[in-house]
Amino acid sequence: MRRIRLTVAYDGTNYCGWQIQPNGITIEEVLNKAICKLTGEEIQVIGASRTDSGVHARGNIAVFDTESRIPAERFSYALNQRLPKDIVVVKSDEVDLNWHPRYQDTLKTYEYHIINTKVPIPTERLYNYFVSFDLDVGQMRRGAAYLEGEHDFAPFCCIRTNAKTTVRTITDLQILQSGEHITIRITGNGFLYNMVRIIAGVLVRVGRGFYEPEKVKELLEGGERTREAVTAPPQGLCLMEIRYQNEE
Amino acid sequence: MRRIRLTVAYDGTNYCGWQIQPNGITIEEVLNKAICKLTGEEIQVIGASRTDSGVHARGNIAVFDTESRIPAERFSYALNQRLPKDIVVVKSDEVDLNWHPRYQDTLKTYEYHIINTKVPIPTERLYNYFVSFDLDVGQMRRGAAYLEGEHDFAPFCCIRTNAKTTVRTITDLQILQSGEHITIRITGNGFLYNMVRIIAGVLVRVGRGFYEPEKVKELLEGGERTREAVTAPPQGLCLMEIRYQNEE
């Protein structure tokens, strides 16, 4: 028995998120079926991050155990022949049988993509949050600065969390601008449910002048979620990378 | 009777191109229906550029004549309420009744988008040509330089053209690189059928070292299309802008 690790990229547009659920097709389900077809075994992958409906990924991680003799690094090619074009296995390798994608120290990087134009651009709609108000990136950066470091992020978390603690550390938060595109790039040791989308929602309100940058500090110190901590839509979010600390 | 001009953006993924045809839905058809619903008239728009199946636009132009009293600049908002999300009227204004979107001196700008990564990225697949070979942008620029100015572009034209002359002028051709994205941005006074996609196909072959930059000159001087003048796929192409010379 070997444990194979997959680095998976996907366009979440047509999926009800990562995790298997009764009403609609999920990334996890499509991966399981492709592996079953390939190895003939009944496979259930274990994923690192259960991304929401409509959220994308460049580097989510999943593992599965197999008796097949296919070389570990060949799985990516073999699975890509069987997967739809909106799911791609970027890399496959072998890990220890006790290697688990979730219960480890990690650094995750997300990007939240915003398109800031007067009218929506059809070719950008699936992968960006369209904002027609002029965004002041300088103000957004000032607001974002309050979020870096270790904080209790309960005010930036969906109430439906199961997390034991809501303290997390954001090690890096950058706001990049390239023409009409604004990207919130955020790295941390873990993220609560909807945390990146709530951060994006609040920073967009700062950018359009609806909140002062200091509002971010105020929300953070409030201790719990309020209606002012709005959630940005899913299609702007992309899980870019998961780095396992003991492999650095 | 007034003539209304629309600046139209669309995601061509789900359409069989601009022009109405029996087998499949087209941009023109969807626009006609939306205008009919709005004004109650039987409308047939006249488009500036009949983009191919799968090709996108940021600024195609169309006109139609109407008896309706809707203010010209309100048509964009009113139509966007009735159009699917992959077609957006960016702007609407009134033009003279004899203003025709095609029979005028224009400068058109196209972009051809390439994503140059080892494995395909699902969220880029609909709007880019995926090339896994390392592209040498310097070599592509050297090849592109031969195309600027006035030339007989017959060797860069699909054989199915109806054009009276195959002489065209490229006023600007830039190759831009931003990380893994390479954009061929090309402006000229007119383009033959498939011309931008053939230019992109040839420049990609130059970029991967399959052709020397001088091959572009050789093809251009050959006088007719050969099998070496390959066509790049449609989803990388986007009609960015049409500028009418007498309005500058």
Side-chain angles (χ1 to χ4, degrees), chain B residues 93-184:
Chain B
D93 56 0
E94 186 175 343
V95 288
D96 287 344
L97 274 172
N98 62 1
W99 193 95
H100 193 285
R102 282 202 299 277
Y103 308 122
Q104 293 191 58
D105 286 342
T106 58
L107 277 180
K108 287 184 186 171
T109 299
Y110 283 92
E111 284 186 2
Y112 194 90
H113 300 279
I114 297 159
I115 177 106
N116 190 23
T117 49
K118 286 289 155 218
V119 287
I121 298 170
T123 51
E124 304 280 350
R125 78 191 188 289
L126 302 175
Y127 310 113
N128 293 278
Y129 175 20
F130 162 64
V131 179
S132 63
F133 303 95
D134 271 338
L135 293 177
D136 183 332
V137 172
Q139 288 289 85
M140 291 171 76
R141 287 184 180 133
R142 268 170 230 117
Y146 293 112
L147 297 165
E148 287 194 70
E150 185 181 274
H151 301 281
D152 181 347
F153 283 98
F156 287 82
C157 172
C158 178
I159 220 148
R160 287 185 285 154
T161 184
N162 298 317
K164 287 176 201 157
T165 163
T166 48
V167 174
R168 294 290 185 277
T169 302
I170 293 180
T171 57
D172 193 44
L173 206 176
Q174 291 182 51
I175 302 183
L176 312 165
Q177 186 168 28
S178 172
E180 58 211 1
H181 288 96
I182 296 168
T183 299
I184 302 171

Side-chain angles (χ1 to χ4, degrees), chain A residues 115-158:
Chain A
I115 178 106
N116 190 21
T117 48
K118 287 288 156 221
V119 287
I121 298 169
T123 50
E124 303 281 350
R125 79 194 186 288
L126 303 175
Y127 310 113
N128 293 277
Y129 175 21
F130 162 64
V131 179
S132 62
F133 304 94
D134 272 337
L135 293 177
D136 182 333
V137 172
Q139 289 290 84
M140 291 172 75
R141 287 184 180 133
R142 268 170 230 115
Y146 293 112
L147 296 165
E148 288 194 73
E150 185 181 273
H151 301 282
D152 182 348
F153 283 98
F156 288 82
C157 172
C158 177

Side-chain angles (χ1 to χ4, degrees), chain A residues 9-11 56 58 85-88 90 119-127 180, chain B residues 9-11 56 58 85-88 90 119-127 180:
Chain A
Y10 46 86
D11 176 343
H56 315 292
R58 291 279 293 255
K85 282 188 178 167
D86 52 9
I87 304 180
V88 170
V90 176
V119 287
I121 298 169
T123 50
E124 303 281 350
R125 79 194 186 288
L126 303 175
Y127 310 113
E180 59 211 0
Chain B
Y10 45 86
D11 175 343
H56 315 291
R58 291 281 292 256
K85 284 190 174 164
D86 52 7
I87 304 181
V88 170
V90 176
V119 287
I121 298 170
T123 51
E124 304 280 350
R125 78 191 188 289
L126 302 175
Y127 310 113
E180 58 211 1

Side-chain angles (χ1 to χ4, degrees), chain B residues 18-113:
Chain B
W18 174 273
Q19 196 173 15
I20 287 179
Q21 51 138 293
N23 312 309
I25 196 164
T26 64
I27 316 284
E28 190 180 18
E29 186 183 338
V30 173
L31 271 177
N32 286 346
K33 285 185 184 159
I35 302 168
C36 287
K37 265 197 215 162
L38 178 63
T39 70
E41 300 160 302
E42 196 66 31
I43 297 282
Q44 299 236 357
V45 298
I46 305 169
S49 184
R50 296 169 186 154
T51 54
D52 268 349
S53 182
V55 170
H56 315 291
R58 291 281 292 256
N60 204 347
I61 298 287
V63 296
F64 64 95
D65 296 337
T66 180
E67 301 279 7
S68 105
R69 293 183 179 183
I70 299 166
E73 66 281 5
R74 286 290 295 174
F75 271 100
S76 57
Y77 178 83
L79 287 172
N80 288 337
Q81 306 306 308
R82 287 157 177 84
L83 286 165
K85 284 190 174 164
D86 52 7
I87 304 181
V88 170
V89 177
V90 176
K91 190 186 164 189
S92 55
D93 56 0
E94 186 175 343
V95 288
D96 287 344
L97 274 172
N98 62 1
W99 193 95
H100 193 285
R102 282 202 299 277
Y103 308 122
Q104 293 191 58
D105 286 342
T106 58
L107 277 180
K108 287 184 186 171
T109 299
Y110 283 92
E111 284 186 2
Y112 194 90
H113 300 279

Side-chain angles (χ1 to χ4, degrees), chain A residues 21 39 66 104-105:
Chain A
Q21 50 138 295
T39 70
T66 180
Q104 292 192 58
D105 287 343

